[in-house]
Amino acid sequence: MNQTVSALDGLLHEAGPLLLGLCSNALIGVYVIQDDRFVFVNARLAELFGYSQQQLCSGMGPRQLTIQRDQAVVRREIDRRIEGDSHSSHYAFRGVRQDGSELDVEVFGVSTRFGERPAIIGMLLDVSERNAAERAVKDQLQFITRLIDTIPNPVFYKDETGRYIGCNSAFEQYLGKARSELIGYTVFDISPPDLAARYQAADQALFDERGTQVYETQVVYGDGSRHEVMFYKATFDKADGSLGGLVGLMLDISERKRMEQAIWHEANYDALTGLPNLRLLRESLAKELERACRMSSNLALLFIDLDRFKEVNDTLGHHMGDQLLKQAAERIRAVVRSSDTVSRQGGDEFVVILPDISDAQAAGLVAGKIIRLLGLPFLLGSNQVYVSASIGIALYPDDSTLLETLVSFADQAMYAAKAAGRNGFSFFTPSLQVEAQRRQKVGNSLRLALRDNQFEAYYQPIVELASGRVVKAEALLRWHHPEQGVLLPGDFIAVAEEIGMIGDIGNLVFQQTLELIAAWPEGQVSVNISPRQFVSGDCRHWLQEIAERQLPTGCLAVEITEGLLLDERPLVVNTLLGFHQAGVEVSIDDFGTGYSAMSYLKKFNIDYLKIDRSFIAGLASDHTDHAITEAVIAMAHKLGMRVIAEGVETEAQRQLLLEADCDYAQGYLFARPMPRQDFLDFIRSRQSRVAAGSND
């Protein structure tokens, strides 16, 4: 007790110096108010408001230092202490300086007595800078809040424990809940367990290694639908540097995923049939070959080509052709197993991969089923059409273990099936590879031959049987091969057609023939035109070139095969009719070996029929050949056509043809094919002998 009294006495003794020190504080304004006037202010307070201490204590009160709107607040706080309602008070107001400028102040005051009457003593702080900083922070926070709320993507914040502490409006919309229902909850409270566990693991990994994080996942929207999203997250720290939590942004990539899937599907699947295309086929084949190697199993690769599809496409139109392809795809899929792959390679070609096939016989059984099913009628609108299929089969590992080689072998086998008569299948054999290599070598040599002018047109005379005069000739191509000598068309024409060179070679023969026509205008020279030349339009310019050289069109004739008459494509039909209308005569070559409809002979106004040499060879010894030859000659004459017999080699044949009233003949009996100058010399010599009365 004595110690307490002693301490109090000491404090009272030191009160004067303590109060004096407080009033002299250079940072805090100190005042005493009595009767609503300042009776004391320290230098700091006077400085804050731009007055002197004497001015403020000469009748001024708090009202003169307060802006109009805050005067009621100040008055109320002073009255509460003077009237004894409150001993102390803490409040803030907006002050006004002598020059009219304003400042923010904060007041701490207590009631007291001065001269035995009520008074208030207090401290006043200038908080203008602090308030300005707080307002700037508030403005910035308001700006950031508004900015984040305008972001169309969901944004969220979590504390260091993984609990939500905020989000933007887009996140509310995605979740289907207000943010007030989210704060304080974890992902396990708002997401399915499987997804929540994934989110929590990702958050923890980010907390463990602070920084940024990006990953793809799924979310469940408020409507229950699942979406593919991309999360972009980053950690943030507290003021003391410790982990504060994370902020995340969610980007919905569902549409992008759908587009990527659509693009991938378009790149890997045939738009017409829905089957894997060539690109996906190769990927699938590579995987199946790896598996077959690993499992030591067999695999068969089937190449399927639809026979006579082009006829359907050309006669009924591409729309009907597309319908046929779709139906064909369905039939092929109906034959194979679910583990097999059916692909459309393009055009009318399909490819089937048969993994885990037991042996070649099993592959043949599948091929046979496909052929039988594709041989059934196709109903295309009101039309019932038929096609067939040629299938080539290559086997792993028997034929090859390499993808490209296996594909090539299956393709070669398919062409062998076509060459064997179509509507069947063929297994790859080494001889097919030999033939393919031969064709490739011939193809390469053909390109060099065209470049180096190794092709030359030879001409075989065509004799008018009645007079013995040479009135026509047929242009026959010869290839002066630098290593193999002179090659006949049968050795290379098929390859030229395969590699697309037949048009260039045909034009070369035509150009050389024009030179002969210019030197022999009284005769007529026929040129063979392949179906591909008609289809490609390579011979459409011939008439114009004849006219430019001022040569009579009657000096040129064209020879076509019987099959071309059945081709009703406008380009073929118009080219044939154009030749006829221009005065170029048309011959049917090798008549009797193919299929001709009499209506087509009439439709195209055919001028000549050339009887194939196979009938002429047996003319003198085979009654049937003799009868057929006579019938063809009689029929042609009835239809207004003339007849040329090919392959005449004996005098007996010539005599029988003459008796049958055949118009013309060509063959070794008269002359072999020869170069242009030799042919011109032959003509002059022949014409001289004829004039002298000899027909040999």
Side-chain angles (χ1 to χ4, degrees):
M1 180 66 178
N2 292 333
Q3 289 180 345
T4 302
V5 172
S6 176
L8 181 59
D9 289 341
L11 181 60
L12 290 173
H13 177 73
E14 299 291 338
L18 287 174
L19 180 61
L20 182 61
L22 176 63
C23 292
S24 302
N25 192 301
L27 298 176
I28 301 173
V30 180
Y31 64 89
V32 177
I33 300 172
Q34 191 176 57
D35 298 329
D36 204 25
R37 294 193 304 272
F38 291 113
V39 294
F40 172 79
V41 297
N42 70 348
R44 175 58 178 164
L45 190 144
E47 179 190 355
L48 286 175
F49 287 92
Y51 293 95
S52 66
Q53 290 174 280
Q54 185 179 358
Q55 286 176 304
L56 290 174
C57 293
S58 298
M60 292 182 67
R63 184 176 63 82
Q64 284 85 7
L65 303 182
T66 307
I67 64 172
Q68 183 67 36
R69 71 168 183 270
D70 288 349
Q71 288 181 5
V73 174
V74 174
R75 177 77 266 165
R76 184 178 69 249
E77 292 298 325
I78 292 174
D79 289 345
R80 287 175 62 237
R81 285 171 288 171
I82 294 294
E83 295 170 0
D85 294 337
S86 174
H87 176 67
S88 63
S89 180
H90 174 214
Y91 61 96
F93 67 92
R94 187 79 170 161
V96 59
R97 297 185 179 93
Q98 184 176 358
D99 62 5
S101 61
E102 298 179 0
L103 71 162
D104 292 322
V105 296
E106 192 172 357
V107 175
F108 301 86
V110 296
S111 60
T112 186
R113 295 188 72 79
F114 184 72
E116 299 300 326
R117 290 188 296 112
I120 297 173
I121 184 170
M123 293 181 296
L124 182 145
L125 296 174
D126 182 357
V127 294
S128 298
E129 290 185 2
R130 189 187 74 188
N131 285 1
E134 289 177 351
R135 282 193 295 271
V137 171
K138 288 180 180 179
D139 290 343
Q140 190 174 25
L141 287 174
Q142 181 68 14
F143 169 75
I144 293 173
T145 300
R146 294 291 296 170
L147 176 64
I148 291 176
D149 249 359
T150 60
I151 295 175
N153 302 102
V155 177
F156 57 90
Y157 327 97
K158 296 178 183 179
D159 63 19
E160 69 274 20
T161 67
R163 294 185 178 276
Y164 288 98
I165 56 176
C167 67
N168 69 347
S169 299
F171 195 84
E172 290 179 304
Q173 295 172 9
Y174 134 70
L175 199 59
K177 293 181 180 181
R179 66 190 72 183
S180 59
E181 302 177 61
L182 175 71
I183 295 174
Y185 290 96
T186 70
V187 289
F188 289 98
D189 299 315
I190 65 172
S191 302
D194 60 323
L195 295 178
R198 193 183 310 173
Y199 305 154
Q200 194 276 335
D203 289 350
Q204 190 58 54
L206 184 58
F207 289 153
D208 293 342
E209 296 289 340
R210 300 185 200 180
T212 60
Q213 184 184 73
V214 180
Y215 63 96
E216 289 185 21
T217 185
Q218 288 185 328
V219 297
V220 177
Y221 275 38
D223 60 6
S225 60
R226 287 207 174 203
H227 290 243
E228 298 286 340
V229 299
M230 183 83 77
F231 274 130
Y232 298 86
K233 298 178 184 178
T235 54
F236 63 87
D237 295 337
K238 296 178 181 178
D240 62 4
S242 63
L243 177 64
L246 65 82
V247 58
L249 180 142
M250 190 177 81
L251 178 64
D252 192 322
I253 58 173
S254 301
E255 185 60 30
R256 192 192 79 187
K257 286 288 188 179
R258 281 191 289 270
M259 290 181 63
E260 288 176 352
Q261 179 61 29
I263 293 172
W264 182 87
H265 191 276
E266 184 177 347
N268 291 278
Y269 284 86
D270 175 50
L272 178 64
T273 63
L275 296 175
N277 60 15
L278 179 59
R279 176 178 174 176
L280 186 56
L281 168 75
R282 288 183 172 272
E283 291 183 8
S284 300
L285 181 56
K287 292 178 182 177
E288 291 294 351
L289 288 175
E290 288 179 6
R291 179 177 172 275
C293 178
R294 190 171 60 254
M295 304 295 292
S296 298
S297 59
N298 298 321
L299 178 146
L301 188 65
L302 278 60
F303 264 44
I304 306 169
D305 185 87
L306 300 183
D307 306 321
R308 299 178 56 244
F309 169 75
K310 293 188 182 300
E311 295 177 18
V312 176
N313 220 20
D314 295 337
T315 56
L316 299 182
H318 291 289
H319 175 68
M320 289 300 180
D322 289 346
Q323 293 298 315
L324 190 150
L325 289 173
K326 288 197 285 188
Q327 293 183 33
E330 292 172 0
R331 294 186 186 186
I332 296 171
R333 278 189 294 197
V335 172
V336 302
R337 304 162 298 181
S338 59
S339 58
D340 301 331
T341 300
V342 179
S343 167
R344 183 186 176 209
Q345 185 166 344
D348 58 354
E349 292 185 346
F350 297 86
V351 180
V352 176
I353 303 173
L354 302 177
D356 300 315
I357 199 77
S358 58
D359 52 27
Q361 184 178 1
L365 289 174
V366 174
K369 290 179 182 178
I370 293 174
I371 290 170
R372 287 192 295 274
L373 207 55
L374 292 177
L376 298 176
F378 288 84
L379 186 61
L380 307 177
S382 59
N383 301 289
Q384 183 172 281
V385 302
Y386 291 85
V387 296
S388 58
S390 297
I391 301 179
I393 305 173
L395 302 172
Y396 171 93
D398 294 354
D399 295 327
S400 178
T401 59
L402 302 177
L403 185 150
E404 294 297 338
T405 305
L406 205 64
V407 169
S408 175
F409 286 177
D411 189 48
Q412 293 174 31
M414 182 267 289
Y415 279 105
K418 278 188 172 296
R422 305 182 179 187
N423 195 31
F425 64 86
S426 174
F427 288 97
F428 170 79
T429 61
S431 61
L432 295 179
Q433 174 67 357
V434 172
E435 174 60 20
Q437 291 173 344
R438 185 197 71 81
R439 290 200 306 270
Q440 183 180 22
K441 184 177 180 180
V442 170
N444 294 336
S445 298
L446 282 173
R447 293 181 177 90
L448 296 175
L450 192 62
R451 185 196 67 184
D452 297 340
N453 298 316
Q454 296 174 8
F455 294 114
E456 182 182 8
Y458 277 35
Y459 303 93
Q460 185 172 35
I462 298 176
V463 176
E464 184 181 51
L465 287 174
S467 66
R469 293 184 305 112
V470 177
V471 294
K472 301 176 183 298
E474 179 182 1
L476 298 168
L477 181 64
R478 295 294 184 266
W479 178 7
H480 296 285
H481 195 285
E483 298 174 358
Q484 302 177 38
V486 178
L487 299 182
L488 302 181
D491 297 323
F492 58 86
I493 283 296
V495 177
E497 290 188 335
E498 284 181 19
I499 64 176
M501 287 187 60
I502 192 64
D504 293 333
I505 294 175
N507 285 329
L508 184 146
V509 172
F510 171 70
Q511 294 295 333
Q512 294 184 11
T513 297
L514 291 184
E515 296 176 6
L516 175 62
I517 291 174
W520 187 45
E522 67 273 17
Q524 183 188 70
V525 184
S526 61
V527 177
N528 291 277
I529 303 180
S530 78
R532 287 180 184 255
Q533 288 175 272
F534 272 95
V535 173
S536 63
D538 286 326
C539 55
R540 281 182 295 174
H541 67 282
W542 287 8
L543 294 176
Q544 179 181 351
E545 190 156 348
I546 292 174
E548 289 175 353
R549 295 199 183 197
Q550 298 181 343
L551 297 173
T553 54
C555 291
L556 179 71
V558 294
E559 294 190 16
I560 62 175
T561 60
E562 293 180 77
L564 192 64
L565 295 179
L566 304 178
D567 196 324
E568 296 187 346
R569 279 175 282 192
L571 184 60
V572 174
V573 173
N574 293 337
T575 302
L576 269 176
L577 292 177
F579 278 134
H580 176 78
Q581 292 168 1
V584 175
E585 294 184 319
V586 180
S587 301
I588 300 296
D589 197 17
D590 301 329
F591 186 79
T593 60
Y595 173 78
S596 295
M598 297 300 106
S599 60
Y600 286 99
L601 294 176
K602 180 180 179 182
K603 174 181 177 180
F604 292 109
N605 297 304
I606 301 302
D607 299 287
Y608 299 94
L609 293 184
K610 297 190 74 172
I611 302 177
D612 185 68
R613 64 181 64 250
S614 61
F615 297 107
I616 303 303
L619 187 63
S621 58
D622 190 296
H623 176 74
T624 301
D625 287 344
H626 191 176
I628 291 175
T629 300
E630 288 183 332
V632 169
I633 294 171
M635 175 202 69
H637 288 166
K638 288 286 185 180
L639 294 174
M641 292 179 285
R642 286 157 291 176
V643 180
I644 302 173
E646 296 181 292
V648 179
E649 296 183 358
T650 67
E651 177 61 28
Q653 292 170 348
R654 185 188 75 82
Q655 188 60 40
L656 288 172
L657 289 169
L658 187 61
E659 293 172 0
D661 205 19
C662 183
D663 302 287
Y664 306 97
Q666 71 181 98
Y668 288 176
L669 175 65
F670 308 107
R672 293 174 176 271
M674 60 194 79
R676 180 172 65 90
Q677 189 55 52
D678 291 350
F679 175 82
L680 291 173
D681 294 342
F682 174 83
I683 290 295
R684 296 188 188 97
S685 173
R686 177 79 180 186
Q687 302 301 59
S688 298
R689 290 200 304 272
V690 170
S694 173
N695 286 339
D696 55 343

